[in-house]
Amino acid sequence: MTEHVRFDLPGTLTGEGLACGAYRGPVRHAVLQWKDHGDEECDGPFSRLLADLLTGSGRLDGRPLLLVPAPSTSRSMHERGRWHMRQLTVRMASRLKRDGYGDIAVVPLLRTVGAGGKSVQMSGAAQRAQRLDGHIAVTRRANATGERRQVVLVDDIVTSGATMRYCVDALRRGGYDVLTAVVLAHTPLRRVDPEPAADGNCRSPHPR
């Protein structure tokens, strides 16, 4: 995972999220094996990749950080036997502390309410978005009088970005400042080929 990817993430302080690589080929295989087939030995390498991605982004300014793992449904956690993103985020925080970023906390601020089915089982981005629309909630609001920590969301795969946007919206409503999000992999947009013209020649989908 060396080809870092930036993707739009409205509502964050940076306006974008960061991915360790594109969700295809060996990257896709490694993430799926770790996520759904119990390859927990990948927790260490994956957390190191995420920590390095964040520290190398130039976005950290020394202020306290709050790492928030993306939520999983009760069904997903039951089937996997763990909340994989929480464990990965804890490992990521440990790595950051070893690298000198000491003022970091991991808090599972987000939970799903009434959402069903794994996102990777959904047939498309629209279905994945519908699955989580209105089903992500904040477990506790920010303390307006206490120390404000910048939030960094942590997830495994971003496809349409809908899940990330719902998480950001929920956190902002709860009073949190979301700096950015870091994820293991980003799904590249599919190329849409132009429809052939009636005479058999291809026409550009965008008129000149």
Side-chain angles (χ1 to χ4, degrees):
M1 294 187 187
T2 57
E3 51 170 319
H4 295 169
V5 178
R6 297 176 183 269
F7 56 92
D8 291 337
L9 192 53
T12 60
L13 298 179
T14 62
E16 65 180 12
L18 306 167
C20 295
Y23 186 58
R24 60 191 175 201
V27 172
R28 180 178 183 274
H29 177 76
V31 173
L32 283 179
Q33 286 296 116
W34 163 76
K35 183 175 178 178
D36 290 326
H37 299 285
D39 279 3
E40 295 183 27
E41 64 270 18
C42 290
D43 284 1
F46 282 177
S47 63
R48 185 162 57 250
L49 285 169
L50 289 169
D52 291 346
L53 177 65
L54 183 59
T55 56
S57 69
R59 301 300 192 183
L60 301 183
D61 59 7
R63 281 184 284 178
L65 281 179
L66 191 63
L67 301 184
V68 176
S72 288
T73 64
S74 297
R75 175 183 172 184
S76 294
M77 288 189 285
H78 175 74
E79 291 177 354
R80 294 186 179 115
R82 64 178 189 146
W83 183 354
H84 67 297
M85 286 313 307
R86 181 172 184 176
Q87 290 175 256
L88 185 66
T89 305
V90 169
R91 294 284 292 269
M92 177 185 171
S94 296
R95 174 73 184 191
L96 288 167
K97 289 177 181 178
R98 287 198 299 271
D99 290 343
Y101 295 87
D103 204 347
I104 297 173
V106 177
V107 181
L109 286 174
L110 299 171
R111 63 186 178 94
T112 58
V113 182
K118 292 182 182 178
S119 60
V120 294
Q121 295 171 338
M122 301 297 166
S123 60
Q127 193 175 357
R128 282 188 290 271
Q130 186 178 18
R131 165 183 173 262
L132 288 173
D133 187 11
H135 292 289
I136 295 180
V138 174
T139 58
R140 73 180 192 217
R141 294 183 59 84
N143 182 359
T145 61
E147 182 180 54
R148 296 297 295 270
R149 291 177 177 265
Q150 293 185 106
V151 170
V152 174
L153 277 165
V154 187
D155 205 354
D156 46 23
I157 306 164
V158 166
T159 304
S160 68
T163 300
M164 281 281 110
R165 290 193 293 273
Y166 293 140
C167 289
V168 170
D169 288 345
L171 286 165
R172 292 182 68 194
R173 289 195 301 269
Y176 295 94
D177 296 324
V178 184
L179 177 65
T180 187
V182 291
V183 302
L184 289 173
H186 177 272
T187 303
L189 293 176
R190 292 182 180 179
R191 180 177 178 271
V192 179
D193 294 324
E195 294 183 4
D199 58 4
N201 296 322
C202 289
R203 292 176 182 166
S204 169
H206 304 291
R208 295 178 184 271

